[in-house]
Amino acid sequence: MSSDEIRDFIEEKGGKIIYDYIRGSVVYGLNTETSDTDTSFVYIAPYNEIIGLRSNYQEQISDDKSDNTGYEVGRYLELLEKSNPNMLESLFILKKFILSQNPIMSLILEHKNE
């Protein structure tokens, strides 16, 4: 699945992307002409996947090469709590690399220094 297909898949099922950002070599100015652009996003799973048997619940979703990866907000917070370096990095992405940010995510980000 491509990055756009992943995002469409989540939203078609009733989920919501709350944070979408560029990561990797582009952020650090290490990309070359042949580099791709890696992205990550945080999403809220559809209601019917969170409540009930959770048979279709996906806590993480990626494209074929893992260049574009999304984390369900519960999993994202769990990884933050464990000081996962990639999740900690996501808290400090410069505004110019943030593709979209929902006010829900703003509530999380405003506590990043605590």
Side-chain angles (χ1 to χ4, degrees), residues 1-111:
M1 244 189 252
S2 73
S3 173
D4 289 335
E5 289 172 329
I6 291 171
R7 287 163 174 77
D8 291 344
F9 174 76
I10 290 169
E11 291 180 351
E12 285 171 8
K13 291 174 45 177
K16 178 99 175 129
I17 294 173
I18 61 171
Y19 190 45
D20 195 3
Y21 58 95
I22 296 171
R23 62 179 172 81
S25 62
V26 172
V27 172
Y28 298 104
L30 301 173
N31 56 316
T32 65
E33 291 179 21
T34 58
S35 295
D36 57 1
T37 300
D38 299 333
T39 63
S40 280
F41 58 95
V42 179
Y43 65 96
I44 298 172
Y47 175 79
N48 61 349
E49 290 182 14
I50 297 171
I51 305 298
L53 299 176
R54 298 173 64 118
S55 59
N56 295 320
Y57 176 77
Q58 289 183 271
E59 65 181 20
Q60 185 173 329
I61 189 167
S62 297
D63 64 10
D64 299 333
K65 297 190 295 182
S66 295
D67 289 333
N68 304 289
T69 304
Y71 301 91
E72 201 281 325
V73 68
R75 177 67 175 152
Y76 175 77
L77 293 172
E78 179 184 317
L79 291 169
L80 274 174
E81 185 178 53
K82 293 179 179 180
S83 297
N84 177 286
N86 292 328
M87 298 309 104
L88 292 173
E89 176 188 43
S90 75
L91 297 175
F92 298 93
I93 297 294
L94 296 175
K95 286 185 183 193
K96 67 181 181 179
F97 297 115
I98 296 174
L99 303 173
S100 67
Q101 181 177 319
N102 183 287
I104 294 169
M105 189 65 192
S106 299
L107 294 172
I108 295 169
L109 293 175
E110 53 181 60
H111 296 285

